[in-house]
Amino acid sequence: AGNHHVGWLTLFGTDSDPDAELLLRLAAAALGTELGREASYRGRKASFWESALAGEFHDAASAREEAASHGIAVAPNYVAVALEAETEADAARPDVSVLRALATDGFRGAEAEIGFVERGATLFVLVPAMRAVDASNAKTAATLLPLNAARRKPPLRVSGGASGLEPLDALQR
């Protein structure tokens, strides 16, 4: 995973076995390889959502085809939610991963994946909406997200807004 700390690898038992260090290194290499593949996979997904938000798809069929090639299950319609975090004037700008964690908890995509696009301090969350009621639920969740953030992370203030129901190939609006 590059220079990112993702966890610990621990070997239990006595260290009198000379093969223990070799086995530990082998396990670490295998885990590192898998984490590298996962990071590459996430990067491919992010590039799809960037393209969708930029309006690079000419029709819904090309968007679905591109999504399938990236391993993404898409919905016919989405609600785009823009989120920005604010902190006290003297505090450092909050990490967008905090917003991503809040959005992951706040929005659910049962039949399709939620898309995330970071642009500067703004996190765009593309919430799948199969039906009109799903769009209404996404807008309600977007309204409640600042309240949940204030309860979970008191120094963090979240602001943003939600779009209407948009087809996948028209998210740039």
Side-chain angles (χ1 to χ4, degrees):
N3 292 327
H4 300 289
H5 175 76
V6 292
W8 296 96
L9 179 61
T10 306
L11 179 65
F12 290 99
T14 61
D15 60 344
S16 61
D17 187 5
D19 293 333
E21 184 177 340
L22 178 64
L23 291 173
L24 190 62
R25 288 177 185 260
L26 182 63
L31 287 169
T33 301
E34 289 304 313
L35 288 170
R37 286 183 188 149
E38 184 180 308
S40 168
Y41 185 66
R42 274 185 272 136
R44 287 191 336 214
K45 284 186 174 189
S47 70
F48 169 77
W49 293 114
E50 284 278 349
S51 297
L53 200 57
E56 294 178 10
F57 302 118
H58 304 293
D59 59 7
S62 65
R64 281 192 300 273
E65 183 179 309
E66 186 70 16
S69 73
H70 286 79
I72 299 172
V74 294
N77 300 306
Y78 283 83
V79 173
V81 178
L83 300 172
E84 287 189 6
E86 304 169 10
T87 57
E88 299 299 324
D90 58 346
R93 194 179 113 210
D95 188 7
V96 178
S97 64
V98 173
L99 286 177
R100 185 183 292 260
L102 287 169
T104 300
D105 289 344
F107 301 109
R108 299 282 182 246
E111 295 105 16
E113 291 188 39
I114 297 174
F116 295 99
V117 177
E118 295 177 21
R119 291 201 178 147
T122 304
L123 176 68
F124 291 95
V125 184
L126 305 172
V127 183
M130 298 291 201
R131 302 171 306 270
V133 69
D134 296 331
S136 176
N137 290 343
K139 287 181 180 183
T140 301
T143 304
L144 295 174
L145 197 64
L147 299 172
N148 292 337
R151 208 173 354 173
R152 289 177 54 190
K153 304 214 178 273
L156 181 69
R157 291 189 312 267
V158 176
S159 60
S163 73
L165 189 63
E166 296 292 339
L168 178 62
D169 58 331
L171 287 175
Q172 77 278 7
R173 290 188 227 170

